Amino acid sequence: MLKENFKKFFKENLDLVGALNGFKAYTGPGIVQIDLTNNCNLNCVGCWCHSDLLGDLKLKGEEKKRKLPYDMVKKLIEDLHELGTKEIMLSGSGEPFMYPEIMDVISLIKEKGIRLNIVTNFTLVNKKIIKRIIELNVDYITISLWAGDAETYVKTHPNQTKKTFKRIRENLKYLHSLKKKDNLPHVKIYNVISKFNCGKIENMLDFALDTLVDYIEFQVIDIIPGKTELLKLDEKDKKSLLTRVMNFKKRKEYFDVLIGTNHLKKFNKKHYNEFMEFGRFFKNTLKKGFDLRFNEKKVICPKGHSSLSMDVDQIKENAFKFKFSEEICKKCPNYEKCSIDKKNFTIKEEFLNLLGFGSFFRRISSEFPKGSYDSNIIDSMPCYVGWLYTRILTNGDVIPCCKAHLFPLGSLYKNSFKEIWFSKKYDEFRKKAKKLKKSDKYFSNIKCYNGCDNLGMNLEMHRRIKELSFFQKKRILFEIKTNLKILDEK
């Protein structure tokens, strides 16, 4: 039985096995980001591709119109499915919904059973598309918004109007109204914080609560030297921002519940803080007539009956579920009209989760060398991204991390993704990324210290490795030395 358990664990953690090997990959990347197109209908002030502040660096002409051929995308998705990729992100230098075959791509990914995260500005999404997204069981939608009010939205998106912001609000509420019991898609609002919007962070939280999204995340803007430096936060901005974010805890919707942090106990303080919890915010979704008494961990129904227990679901529904007595409910004269879930006899109160707070807190509470937000944490652990993630650019280049656009490891116009992923060149990257400090000239075209968008992935793999028992690690290393014979056993 012990051997069977280990065999199951081994097969389910082949990315970890590769990381322990040090350079080989035994399965495909867990997450793949596909840049379908360079084209975008917005000109976000801090964008690395389309901001008007970029001058001659701004994408234009044929370069802006460039997109991956649909046949190439289709073949890529089929290859990723074969390699065991768990999640695809449609994101990158352009707006995914400007890709002509976007709905075909979404359908194909979901037909293969792969998780899908669409990173979008949400301006081209209408009610028809929203209905189809829900029908296809899209897993995640990440909305790059940068604002919580119409005035700030126009300031950070100069070619848009307040009507655009209003439409986004309406469509988000419409999306929530159509969600089914599985709560798909999970919706996150991603706000990049700059000089232009740092004074309106409270509005961003208000907007997230009003539109009933599942998550909100804040991140400090990455500056393009000589181009977007007027957006940079100074120390006064950061100090004010920190104070106001911490004041979120004084809001009536806030509750200080830290969920599931025991698995981080083996981390040192620096790494543990990256997973810092902030608490949650009630979204006021409790049905009319029900009274939430969270400090007592119960809800009172319109007839005065109290719930019996409270459970938390932060995987699917992001909600607290309060269970009532089936016997009492069925005897209630309001039973037929009551909005309680009559299958489980529960009522739920949804909550908003603030993601990535540890990283954001570090960036706004510390001083850094110019443009080097992550310099104090990058070399504190190995880089495992070569086993976890890859990104496909619109020119067909396969790059090993989000910021490696000047460091391609192959091209889909020359080789299949599988050939590139298992190539000697990719193996070399894995080995050096894990072993070397990022000051090594090998990484000069990536500029890791400026900011790492894959830091969370690295921390998660670091946690998984640190939590291996002595027996597990020893057995894995033994299997590596014997060429993974365990995978051939019946």
Side-chain angles (χ1 to χ4, degrees):
M1 187 64 178
L2 186 64
K3 184 176 180 180
E4 287 303 311
N5 288 340
F6 175 77
K7 187 175 180 180
K8 182 175 183 291
F9 171 84
F10 194 91
K11 288 184 175 181
E12 291 176 351
N13 291 273
L14 288 174
D15 55 346
L16 183 151
V17 174
L20 287 178
N21 169 280
F23 69 95
K24 288 189 70 175
Y26 300 112
T27 187
I31 299 176
V32 174
Q33 177 177 327
I34 303 177
D35 292 24
L36 293 175
T37 177
N38 281 347
N39 205 2
C40 188
N41 60 320
L42 300 191
N43 59 345
C44 310
V45 289
C47 180
W48 286 55
C49 300
H50 304 286
S51 171
D52 292 336
L53 298 174
L54 295 177
D56 292 340
L57 295 180
K58 181 179 178 180
L59 293 186
K60 50 188 176 294
E62 291 303 313
E63 187 177 12
K64 181 174 180 176
K65 294 178 182 177
R66 191 169 61 205
K67 62 185 181 68
L68 286 171
Y70 176 64
D71 288 344
M72 179 180 285
V73 175
K74 186 176 179 180
K75 174 67 165 59
L76 173 62
I77 293 170
E78 291 170 351
D79 288 348
L80 294 176
H81 177 247
E82 182 183 338
L83 288 171
T85 291
K86 297 176 181 177
E87 180 176 329
I88 289 176
M89 294 175 61
L90 300 180
S91 179
S93 50
E95 165 55 42
F97 284 98
M98 293 199 77
Y99 188 73
E101 297 87 6
I102 180 61
M103 298 311 297
D104 293 328
V105 172
I106 293 172
S107 297
L108 181 58
I109 292 171
K110 293 312 302 173
E111 284 171 11
K112 296 294 184 183
I114 302 173
R115 288 197 309 266
L116 174 59
N117 184 0
I118 307 173
V119 183
T120 171
N121 59 44
F122 211 61
T123 61
L124 302 176
V125 175
N126 55 36
K127 288 180 170 57
K128 181 179 178 181
I129 291 174
I130 289 172
K131 287 180 179 178
R132 186 60 180 147
I133 282 172
I134 291 176
E135 288 172 0
L136 290 171
N137 287 320
V138 169
D139 303 88
Y140 307 104
I141 296 179
T142 298
I143 299 168
S144 181
L145 196 61
W146 301 29
D149 59 272
E151 182 181 352
T152 305
Y153 184 79
V154 172
K155 188 175 182 180
T156 54
H157 304 80
N159 69 349
Q160 297 300 300
T161 68
K162 293 180 179 180
K163 288 183 179 179
T164 306
F165 185 78
K166 181 181 179 181
R167 189 171 67 251
I168 291 172
R169 184 193 296 271
E170 291 172 350
N171 282 334
L172 281 173
K173 288 185 175 183
Y174 180 72
L175 189 158
H176 182 270
S177 72
L178 296 184
K179 281 191 178 186
K180 303 172 185 176
K181 287 186 178 180
D182 55 10
N183 195 39
L184 296 180
H186 298 282
V187 180
K188 179 177 77 172
I189 291 178
Y190 185 77
N191 288 311
V192 177
I193 306 301
S194 72
K195 195 85 170 179
F196 279 23
N197 60 10
C198 62
K200 297 291 188 73
I201 197 165
E202 293 87 355
N203 296 26
M204 298 176 192
L205 179 57
D206 290 337
F207 181 86
L209 290 168
D210 179 56
T211 53
L212 302 174
V213 300
D214 302 286
Y215 308 102
I216 186 171
E217 184 172 358
F218 303 111
Q219 196 51 273
V220 177
I221 192 167
D222 286 331
I223 298 301
I224 303 170
K227 298 296 182 181
T228 61
E229 288 176 340
L230 79 165
L231 300 172
K232 184 179 179 181
L233 299 174
D234 59 32
E235 293 307 313
K236 184 179 178 180
D237 294 327
K238 291 196 292 182
K239 186 176 180 180
S240 173
L241 194 56
L242 180 60
T243 299
R244 296 202 332 273
V245 170
M246 298 311 293
N247 280 341
F248 284 173
K249 296 188 176 186
K250 298 178 181 178
R251 295 175 63 120
K252 63 180 181 179
E253 307 96 340
Y254 176 80
F255 59 98
D256 189 7
V257 175
L258 306 183
I259 304 172
T261 57
N262 289 336
H263 65 293
L264 305 176
K265 58 187 177 182
K266 290 189 177 182
F267 268 155
N268 61 38
K269 184 176 180 180
K270 179 183 291 187
H271 294 159
Y272 182 91
N273 286 343
E274 288 294 303
F275 289 96
M276 187 186 303
E277 287 268 7
F278 189 81
R280 306 290 188 273
F281 300 88
F282 289 120
K283 295 196 291 190
N284 194 28
T285 56
L286 203 62
K287 298 297 183 180
K288 187 177 181 179
F290 287 85
D291 179 24
L292 173 65
R293 299 180 184 178
F294 188 71
N295 290 336
E296 301 174 41
K297 292 184 167 59
K298 66 182 181 182
V299 164
I300 308 299
C301 81
K303 285 295 183 179
H305 299 297
S306 175
S307 58
L308 304 177
S309 61
M310 181 187 82
D311 292 319
V312 60
D313 177 359
Q314 67 165 2
I315 304 299
K316 285 189 176 181
E317 297 196 59
N318 267 18
F320 288 103
K321 294 186 174 182
F322 298 88
K323 188 172 181 61
F324 287 82
S325 165
E326 179 178 351
E327 182 181 358
I328 292 175
C329 286
K330 286 184 174 180
K331 291 179 180 178
C332 179
N334 282 2
Y335 177 65
E336 293 301 327
K337 295 181 180 180
C338 183
S339 54
I340 196 169
D341 177 355
K342 294 180 176 61
K343 181 179 179 181
N344 301 303
F345 295 90
T346 58
I347 199 82
K348 69 178 181 179
E349 167 66 324
E350 298 176 27
F351 55 79
L352 174 71
N353 193 344
L354 197 163
L355 295 181
F357 178 70
S359 174
F360 183 62
F361 179 84
R362 171 173 54 81
R363 284 187 165 197
I364 63 175
S365 61
S366 305
E367 294 186 15
F368 304 101
K370 186 176 182 181
S372 300
Y373 292 122
D374 295 330
S375 58
N376 61 347
I377 195 170
I378 291 294
D379 288 327
S380 66
M381 62 183 159
C383 175
Y384 306 102
V385 72
W387 291 275
L388 303 173
Y389 166 96
T390 200
R391 178 179 175 186
I392 315 298
L393 302 182
T394 55
N395 63 0
D397 281 353
V398 177
I399 62 175
C401 69
C402 194
K403 296 290 182 65
H405 59 282
L406 297 178
F407 195 90
L409 296 178
S411 171
L412 294 182
Y413 283 102
K414 297 179 181 179
N415 299 97
S416 70
F417 179 81
K418 185 176 181 179
E419 290 170 333
I420 296 168
W421 179 250
F422 293 111
S423 67
K424 290 182 178 180
K425 193 172 184 179
Y426 223 123
D427 286 347
E428 179 187 27
F429 171 81
R430 294 186 184 100
K431 183 176 181 179
K432 291 188 174 182
K434 184 181 177 184
K435 295 290 185 182
L436 300 179
K437 288 189 174 183
K438 303 312 170 287
S439 55
D440 190 275
K441 64 180 182 179
Y442 180 80
F443 304 101
S444 59
N445 282 337
I446 302 179
K447 296 180 174 58
C448 303
Y449 296 125
N450 286 7
C452 177
D453 291 340
N454 301 103
L455 185 59
M457 298 178 191
N458 276 328
L459 282 163
E460 179 61 20
M461 175 61 84
H462 197 52
R463 176 193 66 79
R464 289 168 61 194
I465 289 177
K466 289 179 74 69
E467 288 183 349
L468 289 174
S469 68
F470 173 79
F471 166 77
Q472 287 174 319
K473 196 168 184 178
K474 188 174 181 179
R475 272 298 305 270
I476 290 172
L477 292 173
F478 172 77
E479 293 297 339
I480 290 171
K481 288 182 180 179
T482 55
N483 297 314
L484 276 60
K485 289 183 180 180
I486 193 172
L487 297 179
D488 299 323
E489 295 179 6
K490 294 183 180 179

